[in-house]
Amino acid sequence: MAVKVYGPTYASPKRVLMCLIEKEIDFEVVLLDIFKGDHKDPEFLKLQPFGQLPLVQDGDYTLYESRAIIRYYAEKYKSQGTDLLGKTIEDRGLVEQWLEVEAQHFHPPIYDLVLHVLFAPVLGTPSDAKVIRESEEKLGKVLDIYEDRLSKSKYLAGDFFSLADLSHLPFGHYLMNQMKKGYMVRDRKHVSAWWDDISNRPSWNRVLQLYQYPI
Amino acid sequence: MAVKVYGPTYASPKRVLMCLIEKEIDFEVVLLDIFKGDHKDPEFLKLQPFGQLPLVQDGDYTLYESRAIIRYYAEKYKSQGTDLLGKTIEDRGLVEQWLEVEAQHFHPPIYDLVLHVLFAPVLGTPSDAKVIRESEEKLGKVLDIYEDRLSKSKYLAGDFFSLADLSHLPFGHYLMNQMKKGYMVRDRKHVSAWWDDISNRPSWNRVLQLYQYPI
């Protein structure tokens, strides 16, 4: 039975889609329109009480939080498709570390940038220039640490592509494209080479071709 | 060789200490004083470029980010001490989901509360009444979802204690004790019973006895 992925056009569900493609797992999608409030629908809230995307249904098993879902499939199908957790338990420890860095350090400022630069004008919410300036500054400091790390290893967790790299693509894409802030990546030689490597994976290009971003 | 844990008195390192005790793994500690800036020392930054706690050194293996560290030890010593990941891969999926809920939904508002209620007066930074009010409101909504979940299963990921529950203790302790906001837990019957259960584990009491909070 194919895995059902809710909300494929949005950024966070793209983590899940890319993971499923890398792991060669069949999936189908359920389209939702958050601009029409589909994520606050009582039937959806029964499955995802926080009213957020993505959500997957796999038979009678339901899971939410994109970084939990990708861990689940990467482990369940460890030997199928691309290995996204590394070879050893120490590799996986580093994958977990950099996945946490993505979630705790990279994501908050880039999310605020996306919200204030791209979504505010569409949603009619205030766009705060101070938040934009501070978020860009914070993100720059994080990318400086990435630059140092990527001068020593090809990918974040080591010399293998993993969930930790994959997790950066959906919001990194906003930075490089819709937000026109690609200089933040291009000004850093090793981050730039890493971005080219991960964003040119066929799996990511398939995600982009199949499910256009809503903004 | 014992695992070296940096910064045992602070909140996030307590996740690691409790996990190591539950897993019956020997450890020793390295005391740091963040009020004196030990976490910004160049030698420390070589190990942890973000300048945050905790950090562990295990022989020549170094790892940071508390939730990555606890995943690493829970998996590496799966069959030793308490099993903190559940029996099946589906159990672990739910552990990951609720660990992400802790990190993404529970932690941000409770962290802001700790910062503005407890740390601001000590650090001499501004304490913002609006942030305090909004954070408490956000945390309340999260705990409403927990109340519903915990009316259906004894622990967050199912009927077994896991990393997902454990991860709430260090900042939950601040809420119940130093911040005197225990009513947020006590007003919710199932959350209250769950809190009593997890905070009465001998491992947590040992952490509290060994390493007093700095504030």
Side-chain angles (χ1 to χ4, degrees):
Chain A
M1 196 186 317
V3 179
K4 257 190 222 174
V5 183
Y6 284 65
T9 61
Y10 300 96
S12 298
K14 288 186 166 53
R15 283 193 194 97
V16 175
L17 297 167
M18 181 162 179
C19 174
L20 294 174
I21 294 171
E22 289 280 352
K23 301 303 294 177
E24 299 168 11
I25 298 167
D26 285 341
F27 63 89
E28 55 191 60
V29 300
V30 181
L31 293 169
L32 289 182
D33 188 343
I34 64 173
F35 298 104
K36 286 187 183 155
D38 289 354
H39 59 312
K40 302 296 179 194
D41 183 272
E43 288 306 307
F44 183 74
L45 289 175
K46 278 187 199 163
L47 299 171
Q48 212 304 15
F50 295 94
Q52 292 187 351
L53 295 169
L55 168 85
V56 297
Q57 286 186 300
D58 192 345
D60 58 5
Y61 188 65
T62 299
L63 209 57
Y64 53 81
E65 287 292 335
S66 62
R67 297 175 193 87
I69 298 168
I70 61 178
R71 284 178 174 105
Y72 170 72
Y73 285 107
E75 189 181 348
K76 181 163 182 172
Y77 298 93
K78 181 95 171 76
S79 55
Q80 178 179 313
T82 310
D83 186 347
L84 298 169
L85 296 170
K87 284 196 177 63
T88 66
I89 213 157
E90 279 66 38
D91 286 345
R92 176 153 187 184
L94 290 169
V95 173
E96 295 294 349
Q97 173 184 297
W98 286 101
L99 204 43
E100 285 291 323
V101 167
E102 183 276 321
Q104 305 286 340
H105 298 278
F106 177 85
H107 187 73
I110 207 169
Y111 179 81
D112 281 342
L113 278 175
V114 169
L115 203 66
H116 286 262
V117 174
L118 294 178
F119 276 72
V122 178
L123 297 170
T125 52
S127 173
D128 188 327
K130 185 165 171 270
V131 171
I132 294 173
R133 197 175 59 247
E134 289 176 355
S135 299
E136 188 164 330
E137 200 182 308
K138 276 184 206 167
L139 185 62
K141 286 183 185 167
V142 172
L143 292 177
D144 285 342
I145 293 174
Y146 280 38
E147 178 66 5
D148 183 56
R149 170 65 183 171
L150 294 165
S151 73
K152 293 166 192 159
S153 69
K154 190 171 176 194
Y155 298 101
L156 287 170
D159 286 324
F160 57 96
F161 176 75
S162 77
L163 291 184
D165 308 295
L166 180 158
S167 199
H168 289 79
L169 282 161
F171 283 85
H173 183 83
Y174 269 134
L175 191 76
M176 300 301 291
N177 296 278
Q178 295 95 318
M179 289 203 290
K180 303 191 195 317
K181 291 184 183 289
Y183 57 88
M184 295 194 75
V185 164
R186 296 300 170 213
D187 287 353
R188 294 169 172 92
K189 183 179 142 196
H190 295 97
V191 173
S192 183
W194 168 76
W195 178 261
D196 284 339
D197 182 305
I198 66 173
S199 65
N200 281 310
R201 290 183 76 88
S203 55
W204 181 243
N205 286 306
R206 198 170 143 214
V207 170
L208 292 178
Q209 277 160 17
L210 287 172
Y211 308 106
Q212 260 202 313
Y213 280 75
I215 292 180
Chain B
M1 197 187 317
V3 179
K4 256 190 223 173
V5 184
Y6 285 65
T9 62
Y10 300 96
S12 298
K14 287 186 166 54
R15 283 193 193 98
V16 175
L17 297 168
M18 182 164 179
C19 175
L20 293 174
I21 293 172
E22 290 280 353
K23 300 304 292 178
E24 300 169 9
I25 298 166
D26 286 340
F27 62 89
E28 56 190 59
V29 300
V30 181
L31 293 170
L32 289 181
D33 187 343
I34 63 172
F35 298 104
K36 287 188 184 154
D38 288 353
H39 60 313
K40 302 296 179 194
D41 183 272
E43 287 306 306
F44 184 73
L45 289 175
K46 277 187 201 164
L47 299 171
Q48 212 304 16
F50 295 94
Q52 291 186 353
L53 295 169
L55 169 85
V56 297
Q57 285 186 300
D58 192 346
D60 59 3
Y61 187 64
T62 299
L63 209 57
Y64 53 82
E65 287 293 334
S66 61
R67 298 175 192 88
I69 298 167
I70 61 177
R71 284 178 174 106
Y72 169 73
Y73 284 108
E75 190 180 351
K76 181 162 182 174
Y77 298 93
K78 182 96 171 76
S79 55
Q80 178 178 313
T82 311
D83 186 348
L84 298 168
L85 296 170
K87 284 196 178 63
T88 66
I89 214 159
E90 279 67 37
D91 286 345
R92 175 152 190 185
L94 290 169
V95 173
E96 295 295 347
Q97 173 184 295
W98 286 100
L99 205 43
E100 285 292 322
V101 167
E102 183 276 320
Q104 304 285 341
H105 298 278
F106 176 86
H107 187 74
I110 207 168
Y111 179 81
D112 281 342
L113 279 175
V114 169
L115 203 65
H116 286 263
V117 174
L118 294 179
F119 277 72
V122 178
L123 296 172
T125 52
S127 172
D128 187 327
K130 186 165 170 271
V131 171
I132 293 175
R133 199 175 57 247
E134 288 175 355
S135 298
E136 189 164 328
E137 201 183 307
K138 275 185 207 166
L139 186 61
K141 286 183 183 166
V142 172
L143 292 177
D144 285 342
I145 293 173
Y146 281 37
E147 179 66 5
D148 183 57
R149 170 63 182 171
L150 293 165
S151 73
K152 293 167 192 157
S153 68
K154 191 171 175 194
Y155 297 101
L156 287 170
D159 287 324
F160 57 96
F161 177 74
S162 77
L163 291 184
D165 307 296
L166 179 158
S167 198
H168 289 78
L169 282 161
F171 283 86
H173 183 84
Y174 269 134
L175 191 75
M176 302 300 290
N177 297 278
Q178 295 94 319
M179 289 203 290
K180 302 191 195 317
K181 291 185 184 286
Y183 57 87
M184 295 193 74
V185 164
R186 296 302 172 211
D187 287 353
R188 293 168 172 94
K189 186 177 140 195
H190 296 96
V191 174
S192 183
W194 167 77
W195 177 260
D196 285 339
D197 182 307
I198 66 173
S199 66
N200 281 309
R201 290 182 76 88
S203 55
W204 180 242
N205 286 307
R206 199 172 141 212
V207 170
L208 292 179
Q209 278 160 17
L210 287 173
Y211 307 105
Q212 261 202 315
Y213 280 76
I215 291 181

